[in-house]
Amino acid sequence: QVQLVESGGGLVQPGGSLRLSCAASGSHFSIYGMGWYRQAPGKQRELVASITYNYINNYADSVKGRFTISRDNVKNTVYLQMNSLKPEDTAVYYCNGYPGVAFPWGQGTQVTVSS
């Protein structure tokens, strides 16, 4: 079964950048669509970006033009490049399958945008 490990979060000032990584163990990673999700305190988990098995990307309106999702099927890794970060981007970020949540959730990585 695929296991997911997210990394790359941290504390950054507004306007800054971070690059998140999601390493997937297990086989057949390349056949899955993948997504980055986030959950802010007191809010439901939401999808922010997705990438299909054939590299078609989609983004939530709130991050469009600022975030870029990519994948490396050789390294079994999905990335989220986050630029022009805003305080409202503060959340725990997770990766999982897309469109269906296909795997156990990882521990996530905390992103805090604050001056």
Side-chain angles (χ1 to χ4, degrees), residues 55-76:
Y55 301 93
I56 297 172
N57 300 341
N58 217 333
Y59 300 93
D61 287 343
S62 58
V63 306
K64 201 170 291 184
R66 301 188 297 121
F67 290 11
T68 302
I69 188 171
S70 61
R71 67 189 298 162
D72 184 334
N73 287 341
V74 173
K75 295 182 178 179
N76 277 13

Side-chain angles (χ1 to χ4, degrees), residues 1-103:
Q1 188 177 19
V2 172
Q3 292 184 320
L4 304 168
V5 179
E6 300 92 348
S7 62
L11 173 63
V12 63
Q13 292 187 340
S17 298
L18 284 173
R19 188 193 194 205
L20 307 184
S21 298
C22 168
S25 65
S27 58
H28 307 301
F29 170 79
S30 63
I31 71 173
Y32 293 101
M34 295 295 294
W36 278 98
Y37 304 77
R38 68 185 181 188
Q39 187 167 20
K43 295 188 177 182
Q44 289 192 335
R45 194 171 298 179
E46 62 173 347
L47 175 71
V48 296
S50 62
I51 183 167
T52 63
Y53 72 96
N54 55 344
Y55 301 93
I56 297 172
N57 300 341
N58 217 333
Y59 300 93
D61 287 343
S62 58
V63 306
K64 201 170 291 184
R66 301 188 297 121
F67 290 11
T68 302
I69 188 171
S70 61
R71 67 189 298 162
D72 184 334
N73 287 341
V74 173
K75 295 182 178 179
N76 277 13
T77 301
V78 181
Y79 303 98
L80 187 67
Q81 178 67 43
M82 305 187 297
N83 299 328
S84 302
L85 282 162
K86 304 176 180 180
E88 51 264 43
D89 295 318
T90 295
V92 180
Y93 285 71
Y94 305 85
C95 66
N96 213 306
Y98 174 83
V101 174
F103 315 115

